[in-house]
Amino acid sequence: MSKGKSLINSWFSSKNWKVFDFQEEVWNACLDGKKGILNAPTGSGKTLALWMPNLIKWIEKHPDSYQEKTNNGLKVLWITPLRALAKDIQSALQSSVDDMSIPWEIGRRTGDISQSVKQKQNRRMPEVLITTPESVHILLAQKNYARHFKNLDAVVVDEWHELLGTKRGIQVELALSKLKALRPDISIWGISATIGNLDQAKDVLLGSDINKDSSVVIKANLKKDIYIESILPDEIEKFPWSGHLGLNLLPKILPVIDNHNSTLIFTNTRAQSEVWFQKILEARPDLAGAIAIHHGSLDRKVREWVESSLHEGNLKAVVCTSSLDLGVDFSPVDTVIQIGSPKGVARFLQRAGRSGHSPGAKSSIYFVPTHALELIEASALKSAVNEHEIESREPILKPLDVLVQYLVTLAVSDGFMPDEIFNQLKNTFAYQTLSETEWDWVLTFITTGGKSLSRYQEYSKVVIDEEGLYKVEDRKIARRHRMSIGTISSDSMLRVKYMTGGSLGSIEEWFISSLNIGDKFWFAGRNLELVQIKEMTAYVKRAKGTKSKVPSWLGGRISLSSNMSEILRDKIRQVSEGKLEDIELKTIEPIFEIQKAWSTLPNENQFVIEKTFSNEGCHVFFYPFEGRYVHEGMSTLIAHRIAKHTPITFSIAMNDYGFELLSDQDIPIEKAINDNIFSSKNLLEDISKSLNNTELAKRKFRDISKIAGLVFQGFPGEQRKSKHLQMSSSLFFDVFQQYEPDHLLLQQAFEEVLFFQLDEIRLRKALIKIEKQDIVLNYPKRFTPFAFPIMVDRLREKMSTEKLIDRVKKMQLQLEKHT
Amino acid sequence: MLRDGDKAIQFMNQDFILAPEKAIYWKEKKALLLADLHLGKSGHFQKAGIPVSSEVNSENLSRLQLITDHFKPKVIYYLGDLFHSAMNAEWREFKLWKNKNPEVLMKLILGNHDFYAIPEYENFGLKCFHELEVNPFILIHDIPDKIQLEDKVFIGGHIHPSIRFKGKGRQSLRASCFCFSENKILLPAFGSFTGTHNIKSSKKDMVFPILEGSVASLSNLI
């Protein structure tokens, strides 16, 4: 055995740890110069699997001086999606080198690291830097950035499954393309939880210039037992048909908390977590101090306190959101409660896995339905976990907004030569199909603003010098760009602070602006009163009383994964055949009976449509059970096809089971069915046309315009000055639509809607299926159990082919309450 | 003088024409009233490296030319926020436009955005006022909340007013509007791509939304 390996082995023994087979496998692969993906869950020893090869190599290279050599430059870059994880990794790595007396420094560089530490790093990089995708790009925006990387040997991308399929993942791809150009022999590894497309995950990470022979996917194959139980209502007849809070079942989860050491309670939104926290305390005042709340809007200090208390086993329960999906190992946690649908198998498993961390321990998770139909999902989740059907993460292709941002980043630092970068881009997975035309457009966009120069006389962002180097010369533009690097876009936020000092977190500006001074609201698990708003800070004091508002955050609504919806449809089929083996399905049998009595419970060959009149107008419901995203596309398509022949205005709502068209006038669905509105012919054309009439693309454009640097959030503490540069993304959208409709960023918005949100392929498949089914049109007198949860949804899409003036004639003036 | 889409109304014994181009023509004074043009917005953004097409600016000016040609006013009152920010190349376009219309007197009531440019305005001979009394009205950019002078009626802009309609079938929509109330007249923002703000109005107010190129009267609609 080599010296390096034997030293590492004895370090493991000194800790009383055993080297797992998969760790050894990863070491050998790394030492053979292979790249790839390690598929292993949190708490399995995955960090050490990818860390040790670096030390082994170091010892092998300097067998006599490995304990002496200092100032070795940056050797390993460790990229993590969550800065909260960075600290833990840092201390794990640091203690291993300290034990072996290797004088390496393990540093962190994330958004919350102080400027002085960053400057120290700029002068002398630590041997290992743990950082986030955004922070890597900020490094690339530094003058002479290549100096940092001249000794770089390895890049490890942690939790790659979280980044894959997101624009932050694209940032990782772009950063890697640059680092590969600087250091061609660099070792690249990703760590991923189980997803359906691990091989593709590897290809995306390594890029299109990947050498298939020298890349591997190594699976830890650690079997974990998971206990799943649904919390069932005692009387399903009294259980609500709609809703998302799920508070009815609160009394039933209290014993779960009591019977366990420490419980994580996952909710789907921040507002929901605030409400649950408050209601648990109301029901069990004795838990005060023993339970906490954790979500992304809370102050970092508050979150860190909760995390370390969990870690130390000081908390009985924490109500949280996806903010605790990832992160440090909370070994005291022995059970998880999921409130409401997690929408996907992978997320459900991820959350379940937050409990029972110690080796050999079982994970346990309780599912709390928030309305009756969610019990079908509970039963579907159980089946999926048993059959091990886990979703894929689809990679994003060619997002131009991220590319624009990256190019300006390079132009801000040392400038770039287009040909060189184009070749590097062609080696990424995301941009391998980037065409010359698209490339030219992007270059034109950052240099002259658009194709017609005369429209952008005063525009200058990136300039081209005599040598053909693209660079940013204006220092203000450079500064603004550095400030706004990052693809996670958020609304303008206000800090929430006590009058006496002490920060609680931040809330979206629009929520605070809906409050008046003296109004009360719940935040961070506290009842607060708004005292004043000053310089982007909302000052509050503690309040009493019960009439407080709960901020509702505008989160994107996640769709049921295609995997889950398939199992869901299968469950509905089982029910229609009378097979009620699962306890969850048995429990909601009375609801199915009502659906059957008032309308139809569809079997495999039936597609049910329901038409119901109320004083709001005419409602038509459709139930494809394909998940929200597909319904988004299908509903706009159907609405468009009906409205093509009759001037009509629709308000459209949907959930994961179906969708509703609502109009003030009779909807001619009978004729539409005869006209074959579910045809998959001309799908793309009809969808594209219908998109123009809705807000979908405009909403997508919000993120795109921020990433591409059109919408500027402002410098901290300088809000007032930058106000003049703020224009809402929807105004940009209108300007572009009017003056430059072929603008590629605009087209990107439409494409993102088509391929990610509407998922054209799934939509087409769904339509083909419906074409083969028998359409059952019912006229229920009341809203059926299937219809009700859709009908009450307030978040609606609109589509109209009526004249504005005709519409207004039927409407009433809505007088706003405040100016 | 009245075109399709224009709306004539009488208020305080004065005759007004509300134009869908978002301007008011005041017959007695042969005056054109405009608020919140926000000229130069595109250039201002371009300088900062944000590509907003200059056509936004030229569209504003050609719309201005259109109504000037039609109403042939003797005077134009700009009710503030004539320019979006510091002077830029689009200022030249405005000067060219002004020189092309020498017979029209132009006066500017200063808005919050205009303070950047007071010297340039004055050099150019555009007379600036904080507020201006033109009997029986007071022209001002931002009409104060609590109006002290009971007997005076204000004309202003600043808030970019719009109103919201709600209907059956959970429909709603919004439109920029003119608003005439007991003691004030509010103008919509003339500049395109400037955003709007929903206003509070009471039953006594007369609100005129601009719908698909014509000024509608609420009383005919509802």
Side-chain angles (χ1 to χ4, degrees):
Chain A
M1 195 184 283
S2 72
K3 178 165 183 181
K5 261 196 182 172
S6 74
L7 274 170
I8 300 300
N9 274 320
S10 51
W11 180 74
F12 265 74
S13 327
S14 76
K15 295 267 175 191
N16 273 329
W17 292 342
K18 199 181 146 295
V19 178
F20 291 119
D21 290 345
F22 82 87
Q23 290 177 321
E24 180 107 33
E25 205 183 328
V26 172
W27 298 352
N28 291 334
C30 277
L31 295 173
D32 286 349
K34 288 191 173 147
K35 307 171 181 186
I37 294 274
L38 165 61
N39 166 220
T42 317
S44 61
K46 58 182 179 134
T47 306
L48 294 181
L50 280 167
W51 168 233
M52 290 307 168
N54 296 294
L55 293 185
I56 297 174
K57 276 189 215 161
W58 174 248
I59 298 167
E60 300 294 316
K61 207 169 170 197
H62 308 283
D64 303 315
S65 58
Y66 73 90
Q67 290 178 319
E68 277 108 54
K69 284 177 82 76
T70 52
N71 276 340
N72 305 300
L74 181 61
K75 313 270 310 165
V76 181
L77 193 63
W78 199 285
I79 301 175
T80 156
L82 209 65
R83 62 185 183 200
L85 294 176
K87 237 182 184 167
D88 255 42
I89 300 167
Q90 182 188 27
S91 61
L93 305 191
Q94 190 70 58
S95 79
S96 71
V97 289
D98 290 352
D99 286 348
M100 286 179 257
S101 305
I102 297 172
W104 276 20
E105 189 196 337
I106 318 291
R108 268 188 300 142
R109 192 185 181 99
T110 53
D112 51 351
I113 295 292
S114 76
Q115 210 52 43
S116 66
V117 172
K118 283 181 185 162
Q119 273 161 12
K120 224 176 97 195
Q121 288 172 347
N122 290 345
R123 288 193 296 276
R124 193 188 76 84
M125 275 287 166
E127 278 78 6
V128 180
L129 196 63
I130 302 158
T131 183
T132 57
E134 293 80 10
S135 291
V136 178
H137 278 254
I138 294 170
L139 269 181
L140 294 178
Q142 271 185 16
K143 290 252 177 289
N144 199 8
Y145 60 87
R147 74 184 194 279
H148 296 316
F149 303 111
K150 60 177 191 281
N151 295 309
L152 189 69
D153 289 329
V155 180
V156 176
V157 184
D158 214 343
E159 314 266 10
W160 174 232
H161 62 282
E162 279 292 325
L163 294 167
L164 182 63
T166 69
K167 289 185 180 174
R168 300 179 77 205
I170 302 290
Q171 283 189 316
V172 173
E173 287 185 59
L174 288 169
L176 286 175
S177 79
K178 191 80 230 166
L179 295 175
K180 278 195 291 191
L182 295 170
R183 301 280 294 164
D185 293 325
I186 199 172
S187 154
I188 298 171
W189 279 81
I191 307 175
S192 170
T194 303
I195 49 174
N197 55 338
L198 276 172
D199 279 312
Q200 191 180 36
K202 180 196 71 184
D203 295 350
V204 175
L205 182 73
L206 299 184
S208 63
D209 56 339
I210 179 178
N211 176 354
K212 294 260 181 196
D213 297 332
S214 65
S215 70
V216 282
V217 173
I218 294 176
K219 295 186 180 177
N221 280 332
L222 303 170
K223 265 269 169 236
K224 190 91 192 167
D225 282 335
I226 298 177
Y227 172 78
I228 305 175
E229 185 182 323
S230 303
I231 304 275
L232 303 171
D234 292 330
E235 290 174 279
I236 191 72
E237 290 79 7
K238 289 187 185 160
F239 199 61
W241 288 5
S242 72
H244 68 283
L245 283 176
L247 289 166
N248 302 59
L249 291 172
L250 186 127
K252 291 202 145 197
I253 72 143
L254 295 172
V256 176
I257 299 176
D258 286 331
N259 294 333
H260 289 86
N261 240 337
S262 186
T263 307
L264 288 184
I265 303 166
F266 279 100
T267 59
N268 285 335
T269 64
R270 287 171 281 173
Q272 198 182 6
S273 68
E274 294 277 353
V275 175
W276 268 86
F277 179 77
Q278 178 194 335
K279 293 291 176 191
I280 293 174
L281 271 186
E282 267 171 31
R284 289 286 302 279
D286 59 301
L287 284 176
I291 67 170
I293 180 168
H294 188 287
H295 62 68
S297 290
L298 298 183
D299 194 70
R300 183 164 48 88
K301 285 200 186 111
V302 178
R303 279 182 284 153
E304 278 174 3
W305 176 83
V306 174
E307 285 160 27
S308 68
S309 307
L310 258 180
H311 192 67
E312 286 154 20
N314 296 336
L315 289 173
K316 193 74 187 146
V318 173
V319 186
C320 59
T321 62
S322 55
S323 61
L324 285 183
D325 270 359
L326 297 180
V328 286
D329 181 357
F330 302 125
S331 13
V333 172
D334 55 354
T335 199
V336 166
I337 297 173
Q338 165 69 40
I339 296 168
S341 165
K343 306 288 183 192
V345 186
R347 190 175 297 103
F348 189 63
L349 282 176
Q350 169 93 14
R351 289 181 174 174
R354 302 311 325 248
S355 66
H357 249 319
S358 30
K362 233 182 182 183
S363 292
S364 90
I365 186 162
Y366 292 81
F367 179 80
V368 180
T370 58
H371 59 87
L373 289 182
E374 237 169 32
L375 278 164
I376 316 176
E377 274 175 67
S379 129
L381 277 169
K382 268 187 175 173
S383 307
V385 172
N386 287 334
E387 323 268 291
H388 228 79
E389 294 180 56
I390 295 170
E391 292 91 5
S392 297
R393 287 274 189 149
E394 297 304 328
I396 301 181
L397 290 176
K398 273 199 294 199
L400 296 183
D401 50 349
V402 189
L403 182 55
V404 164
Q405 190 189 65
Y406 172 63
L407 292 179
V408 178
T409 298
L410 294 180
V412 159
S413 54
D414 295 342
F416 68 90
M417 299 299 278
D419 289 349
E420 197 186 316
I421 298 300
F422 186 66
N423 290 332
Q424 291 170 12
L425 288 173
K426 294 294 266 185
N427 287 338
T428 63
F429 188 90
Y431 299 101
Q432 55 184 324
T433 58
L434 188 73
S435 70
E436 296 267 356
T437 328
E438 284 162 324
W439 177 240
D440 287 341
W441 184 88
V442 173
L443 290 178
T444 313
F445 178 70
I446 59 171
T447 47
T448 61
K451 54 178 184 183
S452 133
L453 259 175
S454 62
R455 291 172 182 171
Y456 301 99
Q457 298 157 9
E458 290 184 82
Y459 182 82
S460 71
K461 190 164 198 167
V462 176
V463 295
I464 311 168
D465 74 6
E466 315 81 60
E467 271 105 55
L469 193 73
Y470 282 58
K471 55 199 233 185
V472 168
E473 272 168 356
D474 185 323
R475 290 176 67 180
K476 264 198 227 151
I477 290 178
R479 177 159 167 254
R480 217 173 38 235
H481 181 75
R482 286 202 186 95
M483 295 288 307
S484 52
I485 288 180
T487 45
I488 297 191
S489 42
S490 60
D491 285 316
S492 173
M493 304 283 269
L494 291 184
R495 292 193 75 74
V496 182
K497 267 187 174 172
Y498 279 128
M499 283 303 282
T500 47
S503 172
L504 288 168
S506 37
I507 297 193
E508 274 83 350
E509 192 177 4
W510 67 265
F511 173 74
I512 293 285
S513 63
S514 75
L515 297 177
N516 295 317
I517 302 296
D519 279 0
K520 291 169 188 161
F521 64 102
W522 279 93
F523 182 69
R526 292 168 173 88
N527 199 358
L528 303 169
E529 181 184 325
L530 183 64
V531 182
Q532 61 166 330
I533 301 171
K534 222 171 96 186
E535 285 160 2
M536 299 306 276
T537 305
Y539 289 93
V540 297
K541 63 180 187 197
R542 287 271 195 165
K544 287 209 175 82
T546 48
K547 280 192 178 165
S548 301
K549 293 185 184 178
V550 175
S552 60
W553 283 275
L554 285 174
R557 297 200 187 181
I558 320 170
S559 172
L560 216 55
S561 68
S562 64
N563 187 15
M564 270 283 285
S565 31
E566 210 173 303
I567 308 169
L568 194 81
R569 284 196 300 276
D570 201 49
K571 292 286 168 191
I572 303 269
R573 183 185 53 78
Q574 283 180 24
V575 174
S576 73
E577 290 166 4
K579 288 186 201 150
L580 296 164
E581 279 146 29
D582 300 350
I583 176 76
E584 291 85 359
L585 298 182
K586 230 176 274 167
T587 309
I588 36 171
E589 203 189 345
I591 308 264
F592 288 136
E593 291 303 325
I594 297 175
Q595 176 69 31
K596 228 187 263 178
W598 293 2
S599 171
T600 304
L601 188 66
N603 66 29
E604 215 177 343
N605 301 317
Q606 290 172 318
F607 184 78
V608 173
I609 301 175
E610 294 169 356
K611 185 170 178 176
T612 304
F613 292 89
S614 76
N615 49 18
E616 282 191 299
C618 173
H619 309 248
V620 179
F621 297 92
F622 308 75
Y623 307 106
F625 291 93
E626 290 282 353
R628 170 175 281 273
Y629 287 170
V630 172
H631 296 161
E632 227 160 31
M634 200 186 285
S635 57
T636 36
L637 176 77
I638 300 300
H640 168 78
R641 286 181 176 172
I642 295 175
K644 220 163 32 176
H645 305 296
T646 340
I648 188 166
T649 301
F650 290 117
S651 148
I652 307 167
M654 68 215 75
N655 65 9
D656 286 314
Y657 309 129
F659 61 89
E660 173 202 2
L661 302 183
L662 165 64
S663 180
D664 55 312
Q665 65 194 79
D666 184 30
I667 300 171
I669 185 66
E670 299 78 3
K671 180 178 178 300
I673 293 171
N674 279 334
D675 294 348
N676 203 8
I677 38 163
F678 295 104
S679 164
S680 55
K681 279 191 198 117
N682 298 329
L683 174 61
L684 210 55
E685 197 193 324
D686 281 355
I687 269 282
S688 307
K689 277 188 197 146
S690 64
L691 276 184
N692 288 328
N693 289 325
T694 65
E695 299 278 303
L696 278 173
K698 211 172 195 170
R699 276 204 294 271
K700 267 280 167 225
F701 192 71
R702 257 176 54 171
D703 291 347
I704 293 173
S705 58
K706 276 180 198 157
I707 295 167
L710 296 176
V711 177
F712 176 57
Q713 304 276 23
F715 298 117
E718 221 182 86
Q719 259 73 23
R720 197 160 264 283
K721 257 180 158 173
S722 52
K723 266 255 147 77
H724 282 201
L725 284 177
Q726 286 172 4
M727 179 153 123
S728 74
S729 61
S730 76
L731 283 179
F732 267 110
F733 189 87
D734 294 342
V735 174
F736 285 148
Q737 271 217 320
Q738 187 164 343
Y739 297 115
E740 218 171 328
D742 51 352
H743 202 285
L744 282 193
L745 289 180
L746 212 57
Q747 286 182 15
Q748 186 190 340
F750 283 107
E751 269 163 36
E752 280 187 17
V753 173
L754 274 180
F755 291 99
F756 293 96
Q757 199 131 6
L758 302 187
D759 201 341
E760 187 220 334
I761 299 158
R762 270 177 79 188
L763 179 57
R764 185 179 297 275
K765 262 198 217 158
L767 287 171
I768 291 171
K769 194 159 66 207
I770 297 172
E771 278 184 285
K772 289 188 196 134
Q773 288 173 319
D774 301 326
I775 291 176
V776 184
L777 175 60
N778 294 327
Y779 297 87
K781 290 206 174 55
R782 281 181 283 177
F783 297 114
T784 64
F786 281 2
F788 194 76
I790 308 175
M791 190 275 297
V792 294
D793 197 337
R794 295 275 139 190
L795 190 80
R796 285 165 173 263
E797 196 62 53
K798 289 163 198 72
M799 171 177 294
S800 182
T801 47
E802 279 179 284
K803 279 192 147 175
L804 219 48
I805 198 114
D806 292 337
R807 289 181 61 195
V808 170
K809 276 182 186 157
K810 297 189 285 188
M811 290 179 154
Q812 274 171 9
L813 183 60
Q814 173 78 4
L815 301 177
E816 293 290 307
K817 289 237 167 59
H818 54 90
T819 47
Chain B
M1 181 149 269
L2 211 60
R3 303 163 300 170
D4 262 3
D6 285 344
K7 182 111 229 152
I9 69 155
Q10 260 210 344
F11 186 76
M12 308 255 303
N13 290 323
Q14 302 290 309
D15 286 304
F16 294 106
I17 296 175
L18 313 185
E21 286 86 1
K22 300 181 181 166
I24 293 183
Y25 181 66
W26 181 1
K27 274 188 184 165
E28 284 76 4
K29 306 277 187 237
K30 290 192 166 37
L32 201 54
L33 300 165
L34 313 161
D36 302 285
L37 281 82
H38 291 271
L39 295 175
K41 189 169 180 175
S42 35
H44 181 61
F45 274 69
Q46 287 173 18
K47 269 191 182 162
I50 303 169
V52 178
S53 174
S54 304
E55 281 170 53
V56 172
N57 204 56
S58 13
E59 191 272 341
N60 283 329
L61 289 177
S62 51
R63 196 150 37 94
L64 188 52
Q65 187 66 62
L66 188 95
I67 44 172
T68 310
D69 290 346
H70 174 71
F71 291 109
K72 302 192 172 57
K74 270 172 41 190
V75 53
I76 298 180
Y77 294 108
Y78 301 105
L79 302 177
D81 289 0
L82 174 61
F83 254 74
H84 183 68
S85 182
M87 289 294 138
N88 54 30
E90 285 161 3
W91 172 236
R92 267 202 312 275
E93 274 185 61
F94 176 72
K95 285 208 277 196
L96 274 175
W97 181 80
K98 187 173 180 286
N99 291 338
K100 253 175 39 190
N101 297 276
E103 69 288 351
V104 188
L105 190 65
M106 296 188 196
K107 289 183 182 177
L108 171 66
I109 319 297
L110 291 165
N112 45 325
H113 280 259
D114 295 311
F115 290 95
Y116 292 87
I118 296 174
E120 277 93 344
Y121 289 152
E122 283 172 348
N123 282 341
F124 181 49
L126 188 66
K127 276 212 137 186
C128 299
F129 306 86
H130 286 278
E131 55 178 80
L132 184 65
E133 184 158 356
V134 183
N135 244 342
F137 299 108
I138 292 178
L139 310 187
I140 190 168
H141 175 58
D142 184 9
I143 300 172
D145 272 346
K146 292 194 180 83
I147 297 167
Q148 301 291 327
L149 306 158
E150 291 295 323
D151 54 331
K152 287 294 175 197
V153 176
F154 288 85
I155 305 182
H158 183 62
I159 64 169
H160 303 199
S162 62
I163 45 161
R164 212 160 89 95
F165 298 92
K166 237 186 168 177
K168 238 175 120 177
R170 296 192 199 163
Q171 299 181 20
S172 83
L173 54 85
R174 63 194 275 181
S176 331
C177 62
F178 299 90
C179 179
F180 286 67
S181 46
E182 215 175 343
N183 45 22
K184 65 181 177 197
I185 300 174
L186 261 180
L187 269 78
F190 184 85
S192 41
F193 305 110
T194 45
T196 62
H197 183 88
N198 286 344
I199 53 159
K200 170 173 85 171
S201 70
S202 73
K203 289 224 164 80
K204 280 184 281 175
D205 298 343
M206 295 186 288
V207 178
F208 303 92
I210 300 162
L211 296 165
E212 286 171 343
S214 50
V215 180
S217 157
L218 270 190
S219 46
N220 305 344
L221 291 171
I222 296 167

